[in-house]
Amino acid sequence: MSDVVYPNHLGIIMDGNGRWAKERGLNRSLGHKAGADNLIKLLDYIYNNTSIKVVSLYAFSTENFKREKCEVDYLMKLFVTLFNTKLESIKKNNVKVVFSGRRDNLPKSVLEAMDKTTDDTKNNIKGILNICLNYGGDYEIVDMTKKIVRQVLDGSLSIEDITKEVVSKNLYQDLPPLDFVIRTSGEKRISNFMIYQSSYAEYDFPDTYFPDFDSKCLEESLDNYRKRDRRFGNAK
Ligand code: FPP
């Protein structure tokens, strides 16, 4: 594992659950259930077999609230089950779970499960799992701006002292930049996912729907990442 190059921070936009279900004549919600089952296996693989330290997941965007009520309700219940029981292996793997997004509009049951997960894992040090839930990259920048302006107005921060580090500390989570983002299902968009943190990220858009995106598919994407020439603005 040690001489193989891995991204330090991997983002996954878990897309295609609905289409996976539709192709099987199933309700969309069963696609999310299959996606969640796959996610648990994938995370176990990542934290046990790679040197990836931080994983950010796009679980639910602020815009996803526009979906049919029954689908949103199903997803909220799925999140509670996942956080309360299925993430047990993550906790045992010494991974710290953090959340990014707005708390408003989320049901109390989800907020309680999120808070318990955060608390249960706060001292874990092997890796970080950042779950973007009720998340929008544009809202994250708005919320960061408000936090910084408040500090300027109360005198605890001067305008001259606003640096990239200060911006990063006032985002939902202070994480290293994203190195690699995978969006499954063939859609080639980033859909408001961590737009500040992905300024120099590499992307991969495999056709596979998320419920079928297993460790073999992940390794194929990682091979694509390894072929990239990351120059960060430098000349070739
Ligand atoms: C996008 O597929 C997927 C979602 C909106 C939900 C993703 C959630 C999970 C995989 C559950 C587990 C997640 C966590 C982190 C707790 P889509 O419904 O847009 O698929 P489609 O484009 O085929 O319709």
Side-chain angles (χ1 to χ4, degrees):
M1 196 207 294
S2 57
D3 45 3
V4 181
V5 174
Y6 284 102
N8 179 52
H9 186 177
L10 168 71
I12 310 180
I13 303 177
M14 305 176 289
D15 199 9
N17 294 344
R19 279 163 285 165
W20 181 93
K22 196 173 168 213
E23 281 185 8
R24 286 158 181 78
L26 302 170
N27 185 287
R28 292 179 55 80
S29 294
L30 290 175
H32 296 312
K33 162 94 177 54
D37 291 344
N38 181 51
L39 175 66
I40 299 302
K41 285 188 249 162
L42 204 57
L43 291 174
D44 276 343
Y45 178 82
I46 290 172
Y47 291 116
N48 288 311
N49 298 281
T50 78
S51 59
I52 296 168
K53 284 277 176 306
V54 187
V55 178
S56 286
L57 301 171
Y58 209 176
F60 194 87
S61 73
T62 39
E63 289 76 25
N64 286 154
F65 270 116
K66 293 182 200 146
R67 293 187 176 201
E68 297 257 342
K69 187 177 178 307
C70 61
E71 185 177 347
V72 172
D73 288 349
Y74 184 91
L75 274 167
M76 293 299 148
K77 285 200 186 101
L78 186 63
F79 294 146
V80 174
T81 311
L82 269 170
F83 304 154
N84 285 342
T85 57
K86 298 270 172 59
L87 280 185
E88 220 34 64
S89 57
I90 290 294
K91 297 179 188 174
K92 285 197 192 100
N93 267 326
N94 202 9
V95 174
K96 179 173 165 174
V97 183
V98 297
F99 291 90
S100 292
R102 288 186 167 179
R103 289 174 71 90
D104 47 346
N105 297 327
L106 288 175
K108 194 163 166 266
S109 55
V110 174
L111 291 171
E112 282 172 358
M114 287 163 63
D115 291 344
K116 184 171 182 322
T117 305
T118 307
D119 198 51
D120 286 351
T121 63
K122 63 176 188 283
N123 297 320
N124 291 356
I125 52 164
K126 188 175 157 201
I128 298 176
L129 177 63
N130 172 42
I131 302 179
C132 297
L133 211 168
N134 194 16
Y135 175 87
D138 48 5
Y139 285 123
E140 178 166 36
I141 290 171
V142 170
D143 292 346
M144 171 270 293
T145 307
K146 284 183 183 168
K147 278 197 240 169
I148 290 182
V149 169
R150 267 188 217 111
Q151 292 161 51
V152 170
L153 291 178
D154 75 16
S156 59
L157 182 69
S158 72
I159 290 181
E160 291 68 33
D161 289 336
I162 301 174
T163 58
K164 287 203 285 186
E165 288 70 30
V166 170
V167 168
S168 189
K169 280 195 168 51
N170 285 280
L171 294 170
Y172 293 133
Q173 299 294 336
D174 186 8
L175 298 171
L178 274 160
D179 298 295
F180 188 41
V181 177
I182 300 170
R183 181 178 189 144
T184 58
S185 91
E187 303 286 358
K188 294 174 181 63
R189 293 186 289 275
I190 57 166
S191 302
N192 216 356
F193 178 66
M194 301 185 79
I195 48 182
Y196 182 83
Q197 299 88 336
S198 59
S199 50
Y200 272 101
E202 298 292 332
Y203 285 87
D204 195 39
F205 300 100
D207 287 331
T208 313
Y209 295 147
F210 186 70
D212 291 330
F213 190 80
D214 59 12
S215 57
K216 192 169 160 286
C217 301
L218 173 70
E219 283 298 346
E220 279 170 25
S221 280
L222 289 168
D223 276 341
N224 292 335
Y225 171 76
R226 290 178 191 115
K227 287 179 199 140
R228 305 286 167 84
D229 176 18
R230 301 189 76 199
R231 296 203 300 277
F232 301 96
N234 281 324
K236 212 172 169 55

